[in-house]
Amino acid sequence: TRYGAMVEVMDLAVGRLLASLEAMGLDDETLVVFTSDNGGFAGVSDCRPLRESKGHLYEGGIRVPMIVRWPGRVKPGTLSDEPVVSMDFYPTFLEIAGLKPTTGKPLDGESLVPLIQQTGKPSREALFFHFPNYAWHMGNRLGSVIREGDWKLIRNYDDNSLELYNLSKDLSEKRNLAQQQPKLAARLNLQLGKWLKETNAPMPRPPSIK
């Protein structure tokens, strides 16, 4: 019942927004992005086949849908399986608005304009996630993630253990391949550590960057 009510309220809110854009004559020139900041709440939703839910670094906690509506620029029904992150929105909106980023401020993402117009893809080699604190449910492990192609590495800070998954073959993250692929796990872990230092990421105490 709660889940159904939440979906209905969300649907009504999105409908009001789109109706308002149409009433103002802006619907044909406005980019609308619909997404979420994290995975579903385990109390009312079911993320399967994705593992876990909101507050976790498994796919059930960080993989969410993203829908783009941009009349005349994005063909309806177009699908993309390219992973992106919310930090990409800032440079995307800057490019669309014809604005430049603030001088001296780093950009953590890449513009998605080429991707959503199907003229190119992000040039980065990997995506990173960092969650050094407990979620409200206190059921998560503090950790960081690097995703490179289909490979995803999780570094857990409670014991510095590593989890390595091939998402193309194991979307539910049931088979930890860190022991079978030690060189790949070590390389990704090193790359993750460099990113954490470069971004001056806040760490659990005591710090665990190596």
Side-chain angles (χ1 to χ4, degrees):
T1 302
R2 283 189 296 167
Y3 183 75
M6 292 168 69
V7 171
E8 181 178 7
V9 170
M10 179 184 67
D11 186 60
L12 289 172
V14 173
R16 291 192 185 104
L17 171 63
L18 296 178
S20 296
L21 289 173
E22 184 177 359
M24 292 185 291
L26 300 174
D27 53 317
D28 285 339
E29 58 182 272
T30 301
L31 167 67
V32 176
V33 179
F34 179 85
T35 188
S36 174
D37 62 334
N38 50 245
F41 172 39
V44 296
S45 64
D46 187 339
C47 298
R48 290 179 294 182
L50 305 183
R51 182 176 175 178
E52 285 295 353
S53 56
K54 176 183 174 74
H56 296 270
L57 287 172
Y58 295 112
E59 292 298 281
I62 61 177
R63 179 186 289 236
V64 297
M66 174 178 159
I67 302 172
V68 172
R69 179 185 183 274
W70 199 6
R73 304 291 187 92
V74 176
K75 183 180 179 180
T78 302
L79 298 177
S80 173
D81 59 3
E82 182 72 19
V84 300
V85 293
S86 57
M87 283 76 77
D88 294 330
F89 294 146
Y90 178 52
T92 299
F93 299 154
L94 284 178
E95 180 175 346
I96 292 172
L99 301 174
K100 294 182 179 181
T102 303
T103 302
K105 298 292 184 179
L107 286 178
D108 294 323
E110 293 188 29
S111 173
L112 300 179
V113 172
L115 179 63
I116 60 181
Q117 292 192 317
Q118 295 186 294
T119 61
K121 294 184 177 182
S123 60
R124 60 189 162 221
E125 296 181 355
L127 290 175
F128 299 92
F129 301 84
H130 183 52
F131 198 18
N133 53 283
Y134 286 103
W136 63 272
H137 50 63
M138 300 293 288
N140 62 298
R141 299 176 73 179
L142 311 189
S144 301
V145 169
I146 176 173
R147 174 172 174 175
E148 183 182 271
D150 292 326
W151 291 101
K152 174 182 176 182
L153 180 91
I154 302 176
R155 179 199 288 184
N156 298 301
Y157 290 119
D158 51 3
D159 59 3
N160 274 328
S161 63
L162 301 177
E163 298 177 49
L164 179 67
Y165 302 101
N166 186 319
L167 296 180
S168 66
K169 300 178 180 179
D170 181 23
L171 184 61
S172 299
E173 296 169 287
K174 294 180 178 180
R175 298 183 295 277
N176 180 4
L177 302 177
Q179 296 298 321
Q180 291 93 321
Q181 300 275 358
K183 292 183 179 180
L184 175 59
R187 180 179 67 79
L188 291 175
N189 190 38
L190 180 62
Q191 189 175 346
L192 175 59
K194 290 180 179 178
W195 177 82
L196 291 167
K197 289 183 178 180
E198 289 172 358
T199 58
N200 195 28
M203 301 297 296
R205 293 183 175 83
S208 302
I209 297 180
K210 294 183 179 179

